[in-house]
Amino acid sequence: MAKQPVRVLVTGAAGQIGYALVPMIARGVMLGPDQPVILHMLDIPPAAEALNGVKMELIDAAFPLLKGVVATTDVVEACTGVGVAVMVGGFPRKEGMERKDVMTKNVSIYKSQASALEKHAAANCKVLVVANPANTNALILKEFAPSIPEKNISCLTRLDHNRALGQISERLKVQVCDVKNAIIWGNHSSSQYPDVNHATVNTPSGEKPVRELVKDDAWLNGEFISTVQQRGAAIIKARKLSSALSAASAACDHIRDWVLGTPEGTWVSMGVYSDGSYNVPAGLIYSFPVTCRNGEWTIVQGLPIDEFSRKKMDATAEELSEEKALAYSCLS
Amino acid sequence: MDYTELLEKAIVVSSSVALFCNVIKHIWSSTKMEKEPVKVLVTGAAGQIGYALIPMIARGVMLGPDQPVIIHMLDIEQAAEALHGVEMELIDGAFPLLRGVVATTDVAEACSDVNIAIMLGGIPRTEGMERKAVMSRNVSIYKAQALALEQHAAADCKVLVVANPANTNALILKEFAPSIPEKNITCLTRLDHNRALGQIAEKLQEHVSDVKNVIIWGNHSSTQYPDVNHATVTTSSGEISVRDLIADDKWLNTEFITTVQQRGAAIIKARKHSSALSAASAVCDHIHDWVLGTPEGTWVSMGVCSYGSYGITPGLIYSFPVTCQNGKWSIVQGLKIDEFSRAKMDATANELLEEKSLAYSFLG
């Protein structure tokens, strides 16, 4: 028996990340090779023709798992019955724009998307916010969709997590699949804290701590952190466009692990609703180390936090509290 | 007991033990041993199709979810920084199957030991450009790439030419890489094939995975002939011919054909860019089916070297219906060709002969 199709919404689907993401979803990268999907793609009216072009290409690709495509500028139609919602759409920061202006625009977008999702999405819809400022957009969404369970609203820091793993694997010249348990704490911004204190590498003689193998605390506490924090800018500099390929891939990883579970002994990073764990203020969407099982994430508890880490975790929490205040001021 | 009985018992016991050991070895090897990585080259990798294709390769869409890959990316000097950006994103993707990345502007390094070569790089036709001008530049590109592949690629490298004019670029490549087996040089018409399936599925409101066995004959250009005379739809009452189900020969012989032929232009009109997503996906399908085999009862379309099947001039790279097994394609023989189809198949063959003459006129 084939499984019932899952409806997956991608907002901002006519953009770069959407274009990279939708074929991944249609191939089963997000939900598994045996899970049929129906894609819902939403964008704004100026992008309607481009969006239709993407729909045409999805039809042209004859994907076996793709059981339907809805391409629309109507947010209600887009949200109807969706089990997974990937919010790529938002207002990007343009040159000369004040932070407040970006925030104002995004706050109103996420307020209205929240209402639509709450009313029309499937029960237990899982939401992943990608558009920046991701954590705060997710927070606004949560505030204005009170009947969506808090734990179903997340933001993407898996890209940063994967970037951290990639940097370690490059440094140690090992396969990236042998590196695990990095942590991204906090905001998906340049204040994020990539923490390798609990990360390990799978070697022929067993799992070894990354710190021990790298043997260069100065690099791990300095350049490594800033490389991961600023990787987005580095990609833009090289490509003249932002990192659509790796962001789309990370979005698939985030949802797949959430829905299908993390492997034994491995955790991943997700921006989730803080319950006060690790003395992070409750009520923020903050990136934590999590394991996933049966469609639910759980924060990995009890990890020792040294002073260096404490400071960084607090700094990014503070930035999130400021963003929250700014967002709320834009609402009133 | 007597001696023969003892011998029999000994044989049975030792055979069982041997079998048991083989079973254990097999289980051990399939769980513990990973396949050797396959090296896949993508030329023109910094472009749009490359950007869509490369994550698909890294995720196992092209060669299967248990086949590790090393991706070689080639582009021209002007695109070196952008290419490096793609390399960075591949590292940032933390792909479990990706065992290495080579990003280079050096064609020898790019071609070194590759098992699969996807040729996306070429001179695109821009507004106002004469066909002759496009052809002359692509001929010299494909001559140079042929030499590099012949010298540096792994033996039995499988080549797929995508850049247009795909069939003729593949022909040039074949002529200048004589030690690469002719059968290993192909061009992409799987995109057109998939588009044809998609149009049928939309018309019938069926799932595209239930439609099969269309054929794209000829040139990957507007003279291609999308043929549904042998196509079927899998329904609850078995496989029904597409012609019977659609019951609209006029549509099938006109609008359907022109829609598929001109789909590329329709995508450009809507997106303001050409069809990277679906082209990349078709590239993966083409290689996947070539390497891993076509499903039972199903054929696909590939641009391959003609040996005269269906009256097509030998030596052209022409799209035929093929099945694949053990890494080899075979043209589906014996399909009935009606008059309508014959005329279309010949027209596209004639265009290919003209392109071949034009290409050769630049080789002097």
Side-chain angles (χ1 to χ4, degrees):
Chain A
M1 283 294 282
K3 292 182 179 182
Q4 278 302 304
V6 170
R7 288 179 189 267
V8 180
L9 165 64
V10 179
T11 71
Q16 300 248 347
I17 297 179
Y19 197 64
L21 179 58
V22 297
M24 294 180 186
I25 298 170
R27 282 280 187 188
V29 175
M30 180 176 271
L31 295 171
D34 56 351
Q35 176 59 65
V37 294
I38 294 169
L39 266 168
H40 285 217
M41 302 193 296
L42 173 70
D43 218 305
I44 54 176
E49 216 192 343
L51 191 67
N52 192 43
V54 183
K55 178 179 180 179
M56 282 162 54
E57 287 213 68
L58 284 171
I59 291 165
D60 290 352
F63 293 113
L65 283 177
L66 188 60
K67 296 306 181 203
V69 183
V70 173
T72 181
T73 54
D74 174 18
V75 70
V76 172
E77 186 185 5
C79 292
T80 299
V82 299
V84 175
V86 186
M87 322 296 282
V88 179
F91 209 91
R93 183 170 183 173
K94 304 215 175 86
E95 195 131 18
M97 243 174 129
E98 288 286 333
R99 248 182 114 224
K100 212 174 150 68
D101 304 322
V102 190
M103 187 65 84
T104 306
K105 290 211 181 289
N106 279 302
V107 160
S108 54
I109 290 171
Y110 278 85
K111 183 176 169 189
S112 64
Q113 308 240 293
S115 289
L117 271 176
E118 191 183 41
K119 287 200 199 100
H120 303 285
N124 209 31
C125 175
K126 288 173 163 55
V127 183
L128 168 60
V129 177
V130 177
N132 282 318
N135 301 54
T136 301
N137 285 338
L139 189 67
I140 295 298
L141 201 151
K142 178 192 101 40
E143 296 295 306
F144 288 97
S147 66
I148 297 183
E150 296 173 338
K151 57 188 173 60
N152 280 13
I153 297 173
S154 63
C155 80
L156 189 73
T157 53
R158 183 58 175 269
L159 177 53
D160 313 282
H161 180 101
N162 287 349
R163 285 168 171 168
L165 297 179
Q167 289 303 304
I168 301 296
S169 75
E170 289 284 294
R171 176 78 178 201
L172 292 172
K173 304 249 176 285
V174 295
Q175 296 297 341
V176 73
C177 52
D178 288 327
V179 187
K180 65 178 191 177
N181 295 353
I183 303 167
I184 303 295
W185 297 100
N187 197 3
H188 175 63
S189 73
S190 56
S191 75
Q192 67 179 259
Y193 170 45
D195 171 4
V196 297
N197 290 315
H198 311 281
T200 58
V201 181
N202 194 23
T203 73
S205 28
E207 275 176 25
K208 301 258 183 270
V210 162
R211 262 198 199 278
E212 220 176 86
L213 283 174
V214 171
K215 283 203 246 300
D216 189 346
D217 282 350
W219 182 78
L220 281 170
N221 294 347
E223 202 185 311
F224 164 75
I225 290 177
S226 52
T227 296
V228 175
Q229 287 172 339
Q230 295 161 22
R231 188 66 157 184
I235 302 293
I236 292 177
K237 184 163 179 291
R239 295 193 63 236
K240 310 292 178 270
L241 291 163
S242 59
S243 48
L245 184 162
S246 45
S249 191
C252 289
D253 289 341
H254 176 115
I255 297 289
R256 188 201 60 245
D257 288 351
W258 189 358
V259 171
L260 299 175
T262 43
E264 188 69 42
T266 303
W267 64 66
V268 294
S269 301
M270 285 173 66
V272 295
Y273 195 64
S274 169
D275 59 355
S277 296
Y278 294 98
N279 284 321
V280 170
L284 295 176
I285 303 278
Y286 188 97
S287 183
F288 286 98
V290 301
T291 53
C292 302
R293 215 173 109 163
N294 297 329
E296 311 238 328
W297 54 264
T298 310
I299 293 174
V300 176
Q301 299 291 354
L303 298 171
I305 304 295
D306 64 18
E307 214 181 294
F308 178 87
S309 302
R310 184 76 254 158
K311 283 209 188 71
K312 294 229 170 262
M313 288 162 68
D314 291 342
T316 183
E318 221 177 284
E319 186 185 57
L320 280 169
S321 300
E322 282 171 23
E323 281 189 18
K324 179 176 178 177
L326 181 61
Y328 274 77
S329 77
C330 296
L331 284 164
S332 46
Chain B
M1 73 187 87
D2 68 43
Y3 189 73
T4 41
E5 248 187 320
L6 195 60
L7 191 59
E8 273 171 35
K9 280 192 176 14
I11 290 170
V12 168
V13 168
S14 55
S15 311
S16 308
V17 170
L19 178 62
F20 182 73
C21 288
N22 274 322
V23 168
I24 295 296
K25 244 196 288 183
H26 183 77
I27 292 173
W28 179 265
S29 72
S30 59
T31 52
K32 288 290 175 195
M33 288 296 284
E34 208 184 53
K35 291 183 180 180
E36 275 303 293
V38 168
K39 293 190 183 204
V40 182
L41 164 65
V42 179
T43 72
Q48 301 244 348
I49 302 180
Y51 198 64
L53 176 59
I54 279 152
M56 294 180 186
I57 299 172
R59 282 281 186 189
V61 174
M62 179 177 274
L63 294 170
D66 56 350
Q67 176 58 67
V69 293
I70 293 169
I71 298 179
H72 285 215
M73 304 194 292
L74 173 71
D75 218 306
I76 54 178
E77 197 59 54
Q78 295 91 302
E81 216 192 344
L83 192 67
H84 180 59
V86 184
E87 180 182 13
M88 287 177 358
E89 286 211 70
L90 278 176
I91 292 164
D92 293 352
F95 295 107
L97 284 176
L98 187 59
R99 294 279 172 266
V101 183
V102 173
T104 181
T105 54
D106 176 56
V107 71
E109 186 186 3
C111 292
S112 202
D113 296 324
V114 297
N115 308 105
I116 293 180
I118 313 290
M119 321 298 281
L120 303 177
I123 300 288
R125 183 169 181 177
T126 45
E127 198 132 15
M129 232 172 143
E130 284 286 331
R131 251 185 110 223
K132 241 172 127 68
V134 188
M135 184 67 83
S136 110
R137 295 177 72 184
N138 279 305
V139 161
S140 42
I141 290 172
Y142 278 85
K143 183 176 169 187
Q145 309 242 291
L147 295 171
L149 272 176
E150 192 182 39
Q151 268 172 319
H152 302 286
D156 205 39
C157 176
K158 289 175 162 56
V159 184
L160 169 58
V161 177
V162 179
N164 281 319
N167 301 54
T168 301
N169 285 339
L171 186 70
I172 296 298
L173 201 151
K174 172 172 91 61
E175 298 296 305
F176 288 94
S179 65
I180 297 183
E182 286 180 336
K183 289 184 192 292
N184 281 15
I185 297 173
T186 65
C187 80
L188 189 74
T189 53
R190 183 58 175 270
L191 177 52
D192 313 282
H193 180 102
N194 287 349
R195 284 169 170 166
L197 295 177
Q199 290 302 304
I200 302 294
E202 289 285 293
K203 181 82 170 181
L204 290 170
Q205 294 294 293
E206 294 280 351
H207 289 312
V208 72
S209 46
D210 290 327
V211 186
K212 64 177 190 176
N213 294 352
V214 298
I215 304 166
I216 302 294
W217 297 100
N219 197 3
H220 175 64
S221 74
S222 56
T223 69
Q224 65 178 262
Y225 170 44
D227 172 4
V228 299
N229 290 316
H230 310 280
T232 58
V233 181
T234 305
T235 70
S236 41
S237 19
E239 278 175 22
I240 318 265
S241 107
V242 162
R243 262 197 199 279
D244 288 348
L245 269 179
I246 290 189
D248 188 350
D249 281 348
K250 185 154 177 294
W251 182 79
L252 281 170
N253 294 347
T254 54
E255 200 185 313
F256 163 75
I257 291 177
T258 50
T259 297
V260 176
Q261 286 172 341
Q262 294 163 17
R263 189 66 159 185
I267 303 294
I268 292 177
K269 186 165 177 290
R271 293 195 63 237
K272 310 293 178 271
H273 294 286
S274 57
S275 47
L277 182 161
S278 45
S281 192
V283 166
C284 290
D285 289 342
H286 175 115
I287 298 290
H288 178 280
D289 289 353
W290 188 0
V291 172
L292 298 171
T294 41
E296 188 71 41
T298 302
W299 65 66
V300 293
S301 301
M302 285 173 65
V304 296
C305 187
S306 169
Y307 292 94
S309 298
Y310 295 99
I312 302 303
T313 310
L316 290 180
I317 304 282
Y318 189 97
S319 183
F320 286 99
V322 300
T323 53
C324 302
Q325 209 187 70
N326 298 330
K328 298 197 189 311
W329 53 265
S330 315
I331 292 175
V332 177
Q333 299 292 353
L335 297 172
K336 295 200 193 340
I337 305 297
D338 64 18
E339 219 180 286
F340 178 87
S341 302
R342 185 75 255 162
K344 293 222 171 275
M345 286 161 71
D346 290 342
T348 184
N350 285 334
E351 185 184 57
L352 280 170
L353 285 165
E354 280 172 25
E355 281 190 16
K356 179 178 178 178
S357 296
L358 182 59
Y360 273 75
S361 75
F362 294 114
L363 290 164

